[in-house]
Amino acid sequence: NSTSTIPLNFRIKETVCLSNDRRPLRECPFRAGGMERNCTGSFFRRGLRRTLTIDCTSDCPR
């Protein structure tokens, strides 16, 4: 019955790949002028239950 919470903090940026693109993600370059977001959240585990919460906010509203 261990309980743990892991804080998350990361940045995402739009790529040129489409969601149905079959190439590896490492081969997807970032889109010039693409949207960027700062994300925070947490991963919470209590026994067999796991919960992931993430909130991403845009640097510049469009």
Side-chain angles (χ1 to χ4, degrees):
N1 281 341
S2 66
T3 300
S4 62
T5 300
I6 301 169
L8 304 170
N9 187 6
F10 57 95
R11 186 171 181 81
I12 59 174
K13 185 172 180 179
E14 186 176 10
T15 66
V16 298
C17 293
L18 301 173
S19 61
N20 61 353
D21 204 335
R22 297 280 184 204
R23 65 180 144 171
L25 293 177
R26 291 187 176 133
E27 294 179 9
C28 296
F30 293 118
R31 182 179 307 274
M35 186 177 291
E36 296 184 41
R37 294 181 181 240
N38 291 312
C39 301
T40 58
S42 63
F43 176 79
F44 176 77
R45 183 178 63 192
R46 181 174 183 166
L48 297 176
R49 175 166 270 199
R50 293 176 177 93
T51 304
L52 174 66
T53 59
I54 297 175
D55 181 43
C56 299
T57 56
S58 178
D59 286 348
C60 302
R62 291 185 181 195

